[in-house]
Amino acid sequence: MKKVFLYYFRRRIPAILILMVALSIMTIIIQAQSSFISYSQTQEVSQRTEIHGQTNPFIYLSVLACVIVSVIPILEFSFKMKRRSVDLYYSLPIKRIKFYIVKYCVGLAEFAILFIPQWLISFIWLATTPSVTTVYDMSYYLYYLLAAIGFGIMVFSFETFFFTMGNALVDGIIFMVLASCFLPTLMNVMYSLILKADTSDRTLYMRWFFMYSPFFDLSVNFYSKMVSTTSSSINVLGLVLNLALASLAILAFFFINSERNNAELVGDESDSVFGYKVLIPLYMVTSFKLISSSISALWVVIGLAGYLFYCVYRKSFRIKRHDIISLGVSIIIGVLIAIFI
């Protein structure tokens, strides 16, 4: 398996280097335009007050990390959506489970290779600026790197699982988006029904349970610590839940893809229980409650959106009978919840 990893990784090096250079140039440009390097070495006390309102260097790195861990699953596992490539890879003299372990590990290596140089550029840029080092505690840059790598693995595992549940490229990408946003949407509805939380509180709950939110929570927290201001709190419940979901996702990923994947399904309807079958009805039910508690013209939009998603699912405007039943039941349940609860 080690030889397979090295062979496949060597083939990816040219593309990785091109991406790394492009990202590095972009990072340098953004660093050069950031406002946190514009302070003089004097008046350190006022710097500590003013600099907190300036550019948080971790925000760009967090956005970049989120983009990288979302794109890599598509690059590494899109072969499942192409009949020629899936026939080639599945014919290799290696067990399916080992092959997916190799692909997964190559994806993690790509994330590290693409992200760490950008972190290093940002670190060196600030560390070599005297007006910044007198204000910043640069040790938190190392802590952030360790946290970002950990959360990157978590999000990569989660997104990889849902992407590979699709039999077509578009389906896989839709699954990634819907799965990432569903948990905060569900928690929003639960809090509004059970705790009767107001809109601002529900928005906070949604942010807590968003799969990418740990990146940004830690960005704000480490930045506050780095400039010696009061640190913001981190939602432990949302963090633990996201970590648990990511762990389950990667275990399910290896089991389903190594044992139950069928090359004949390439390009066919994505019938996974982790895809349209469950996500469309759940999104419809929660959407009715989120939009309004009374009759609304937007309910028609929800119903139409649900139908269109079923059309994407079936790759036709003629959806199946049980899709129509599921669509109708979802609308009825959603309307009843919105009106009476």
Side-chain angles (χ1 to χ4, degrees):
M1 189 165 65
K2 180 181 178 181
K3 291 182 179 179
V4 176
F5 173 85
L6 293 175
Y7 169 77
Y8 187 73
F9 183 74
R10 289 193 195 102
R11 295 185 58 188
R12 300 288 295 169
I13 288 178
I16 294 174
L17 291 177
I18 293 173
L19 286 174
M20 185 173 66
V21 171
L23 292 176
S24 297
I25 294 173
M26 184 171 64
T27 300
I28 292 173
I29 293 174
I30 291 177
Q31 290 291 139
Q33 296 178 345
S34 297
S35 57
F36 50 71
I37 67 171
S38 62
Y39 292 90
S40 64
Q41 217 167 353
T42 60
Q43 299 178 333
E44 181 177 342
V45 175
S46 63
Q47 285 178 0
R48 290 181 181 275
T49 302
E50 295 175 5
I51 203 167
H52 187 59
Q54 303 303 314
T55 305
N56 180 343
F58 294 137
I59 293 297
Y60 165 71
L61 292 175
S62 296
V63 172
L64 182 63
C66 291
V67 172
I68 292 174
V69 295
S70 300
V71 171
I72 289 178
I74 301 174
L75 298 178
E76 284 300 321
F77 295 97
S78 59
F79 76 91
K80 291 177 74 275
M81 290 74 173
K82 303 173 185 176
R83 188 169 300 278
R84 179 180 297 180
S85 58
V86 79
D87 289 339
L88 172 63
Y89 283 115
Y90 284 178
S91 64
L92 295 175
I94 182 175
K95 290 185 178 180
R96 191 79 57 82
I97 182 69
K98 292 183 178 180
F99 173 71
Y100 275 95
I101 291 175
V102 167
K103 296 285 284 182
Y104 177 79
C105 291
V106 168
L108 291 180
E110 289 176 342
F111 166 58
I113 293 173
L114 292 175
F115 178 73
I116 291 178
Q118 317 317 315
W119 169 87
L120 188 60
I121 291 172
S122 183
F123 174 81
I124 294 175
W125 194 283
L126 267 70
T128 55
T129 306
S131 60
V132 171
T133 54
T134 57
V135 180
Y136 282 58
D137 180 355
M138 297 301 292
S139 63
Y140 283 95
Y141 243 75
L142 177 59
Y143 303 151
Y144 171 79
L145 174 63
L146 299 176
I149 293 295
F151 291 130
I153 295 173
M154 179 182 76
V155 177
F156 174 73
S157 302
F158 182 86
E159 298 293 8
T160 295
F161 170 72
F162 279 98
F163 177 73
T164 55
M165 291 301 101
N167 294 329
L169 182 64
V170 173
D171 293 339
I173 294 175
I174 291 176
F175 291 172
M176 292 170 67
V177 175
L178 293 183
S180 298
C181 300
F182 173 70
L183 186 60
T185 304
L186 178 62
M187 297 308 298
N188 185 312
V189 174
M190 290 179 61
Y191 274 106
S192 66
L193 295 179
I194 299 174
L195 301 180
K196 306 298 182 182
D198 61 27
T199 303
S200 60
D201 289 337
R202 295 204 309 270
T203 301
L204 177 62
Y205 299 141
M206 289 183 71
R207 183 181 65 82
W208 277 357
F209 294 97
F210 185 49
M211 179 58 66
Y212 294 85
S213 64
F215 275 109
F216 301 99
D217 287 343
L218 267 296
S219 297
V220 174
N221 191 274
F222 284 150
Y223 180 66
S224 299
K225 286 286 189 180
M226 197 166 69
V227 296
S228 303
T229 61
T230 304
S231 61
S232 59
S233 61
I234 300 174
N235 174 248
V236 178
L237 176 59
L239 178 61
V240 172
L241 185 56
N242 284 342
L243 180 59
L245 285 174
S247 301
L248 291 174
I250 195 56
L251 291 175
F253 159 74
F254 284 124
F255 174 74
I256 295 175
N257 282 290
S258 63
E259 300 296 336
R260 299 186 178 183
N261 235 332
N262 195 333
E264 284 72 24
L265 295 177
V266 174
D268 203 353
E269 296 175 354
S270 300
D271 277 327
S272 171
V273 70
F274 299 100
Y276 294 117
K277 285 183 177 180
V278 174
L279 291 175
I280 295 176
L282 289 179
Y283 260 104
M284 290 189 64
V285 171
T286 55
S287 296
F288 278 102
K289 179 57 182 175
L290 291 176
I291 288 179
S292 175
S293 59
S294 60
I295 304 255
S296 172
L298 291 177
W299 290 358
V300 178
V301 177
I302 298 175
L304 179 60
Y307 166 73
L308 292 177
F309 268 109
Y310 274 112
C311 292
V312 174
Y313 173 19
R314 299 302 181 186
K315 296 177 173 53
S316 170
F317 287 105
R318 298 180 60 184
I319 61 178
K320 296 183 178 180
R321 180 180 302 174
H322 54 269
D323 296 335
I324 298 175
I325 295 174
S326 177
L327 182 64
V329 171
S330 300
I331 292 175
I332 293 172
I333 294 175
V335 170
L336 292 177
I337 290 178
I339 293 177
F340 297 108
I341 301 181

